[in-house]
Amino acid sequence: MLRLDDSIFEYALYDVLNGLEAQQQAAVELDALRNEWRATGLRHVDLYLALDLLVSAESLVSPRPGAWQMTEAGAERAALVATVSAPTMADQVARSVLKLIRERVPTGAHPVRSATTRRRAAARVRVRELSRPGQL
């Protein structure tokens, strides 16, 4: 199985936030993020990884459960990712991988999930996280 670099998830989430025109003062709800995330071609559970990465990098904060808000640093980074004029090699690789994934996954391949399916997926993620060695 192919292991994607974390930067790909970060780029995808920044693209999603830019697509939603996320503002520094406004919270973005999880449902809105999920709807936009489908267009990336990445797995649904990868959204949670991307959210964790950006929260750890202090680009996002969670003012309440199920909502995220960009910090000043996050807004600057999102603008930089959206308007990069001289991309680094890492930028080019991440963009290429995201483009390839989008091309390979048909548009209708990710149907809207029911609330029950989302709860089951979230439960599986929690179980996996709790079963990792060294975690309490």
Side-chain angles (χ1 to χ4, degrees), residues 40-61:
T40 66
L42 295 168
R43 297 176 312 165
H44 178 74
V45 295
D46 293 334
L47 171 60
Y48 297 105
L49 173 62
L51 287 167
D52 285 342
L53 290 169
L54 293 187
V55 167
S56 297
E58 297 180 354
S59 292
L60 290 177
V61 293

Side-chain angles (χ1 to χ4, degrees), residues 1 33 71:
M1 177 180 228
L33 289 169
T71 63

Side-chain angles (χ1 to χ4, degrees), residues 82-97:
T83 61
V84 66
S85 58
T88 64
M89 183 60 79
D91 295 334
Q92 292 175 1
V93 168
R95 290 283 180 221
S96 296
V97 170

Side-chain angles (χ1 to χ4, degrees), residues 9 17 25 52-53 63-64 67 74 85 91 107 114 117-118 126:
F9 303 123
L17 291 168
Q25 312 304 350
D52 285 342
L53 290 169
R64 63 182 183 278
S85 58
D91 295 334
T107 307
S114 68
T117 305
R118 287 195 301 257
R126 283 193 300 272

Side-chain angles (χ1 to χ4, degrees), residues 18-135:
N18 281 322
L20 291 171
E21 298 177 357
Q23 300 291 322
Q24 187 176 343
Q25 312 304 350
V28 179
E29 299 295 325
L30 183 58
D31 286 337
L33 289 169
R34 282 184 183 134
N35 291 335
E36 284 290 317
W37 188 261
R38 285 186 187 91
T40 66
L42 295 168
R43 297 176 312 165
H44 178 74
V45 295
D46 293 334
L47 171 60
Y48 297 105
L49 173 62
L51 287 167
D52 285 342
L53 290 169
L54 293 187
V55 167
S56 297
E58 297 180 354
S59 292
L60 290 177
V61 293
S62 182
R64 63 182 183 278
W68 286 265
Q69 185 174 327
M70 281 202 294
T71 63
E72 184 178 342
E76 290 173 6
R77 177 74 175 137
L80 180 66
V81 166
T83 61
V84 66
S85 58
T88 64
M89 183 60 79
D91 295 334
Q92 292 175 1
V93 168
R95 290 283 180 221
S96 296
V97 170
L98 283 171
K99 182 180 176 198
L100 180 66
I101 290 170
R102 282 187 195 112
E103 290 171 355
R104 299 267 173 122
V105 178
T107 307
H110 299 290
V112 176
R113 294 179 178 202
S114 68
T116 304
T117 305
R118 287 195 301 257
R119 283 193 299 271
R120 286 183 193 148
R124 284 193 300 273
V125 169
R126 283 193 300 272
V127 167
R128 263 185 267 146
E129 288 174 350
L130 293 174
S131 65
R132 288 183 186 157
Q135 298 244 340

